[in-house]
Amino acid sequence: MAVYALGDIEPRIDPTAYVHPDAVVIGDVTIGPEASVWPCAVLRGDDGAIEVGARTSIQDGTVVHTTPEVPTIVGADCVIGHLVHLEACTIEDGALVGNGSIVLHRAVVRSGAVVGSGAVVPNGVEVPAGAMALGIPARIKEGAADPAMITHARDSYVRRAVRYKTELRRL
């Protein structure tokens, strides 16, 4: 895996986490237990901190960045889909951010909320717990998230990471 220190700042990756060999992790990044980071994802903690909680998946092609003023925090049990961009925002425990979505500075996606595929959550917007954010810019639909879908997606990536840690081999 491509893990880089930036000066004296080294990433902290729990030994039970899975980081794919083609992912890039730089600088002030913490990856929690049983979390997974998938191919072509980039977590670049150069200007500030990035935190990824336990059992959270950061899927293929996702970019996670930060600013000197605002860290990017992704809680435990989250699903961050393919080709997502997270920048200086907070994703609370048990949330799902769908494929191709963008969540920007100081936005907060509360526990159990869903950002639908392709949505853009602008600066400073809060997606309430259990709500769904859809569209560009995101419109909020209260109570529309499906907790069972989030749990199913999380569990499938926790299982997949275990398999990849033991079975993936380059040909």
Side-chain angles (χ1 to χ4, degrees), residues 71-160:
T72 299
I73 299 171
V74 183
D77 302 308
C78 293
V79 178
I80 309 301
H82 307 284
L83 302 171
V84 169
H85 180 168
L86 302 179
E87 179 100 21
C89 60
T90 299
I91 313 298
E92 291 186 346
D93 296 349
L96 183 146
V97 179
N99 298 340
S101 296
I102 300 170
V103 183
L104 295 172
H105 300 196
R106 298 175 316 284
V108 178
V109 178
R110 297 284 180 201
S111 294
V114 171
V115 175
S117 292
V120 175
V121 180
N123 294 345
V125 169
E126 179 178 327
V127 180
M132 185 175 280
L134 302 168
I136 303 171
R139 295 173 320 281
I140 308 300
K141 297 178 85 173
E142 296 277 349
D146 179 358
M149 183 265 303
I150 298 170
T151 300
H152 174 74
R154 182 215 50 217
D155 291 349
S156 76
Y157 271 87
V158 169
R159 285 190 305 274
R160 187 173 288 132

Side-chain angles (χ1 to χ4, degrees), residues 50-66:
I50 295 170
E51 297 177 19
V52 176
R55 296 169 305 283
T56 287
S57 62
I58 306 292
Q59 295 172 22
D60 310 59
T62 287
V63 174
V64 182
H65 195 231
T66 186

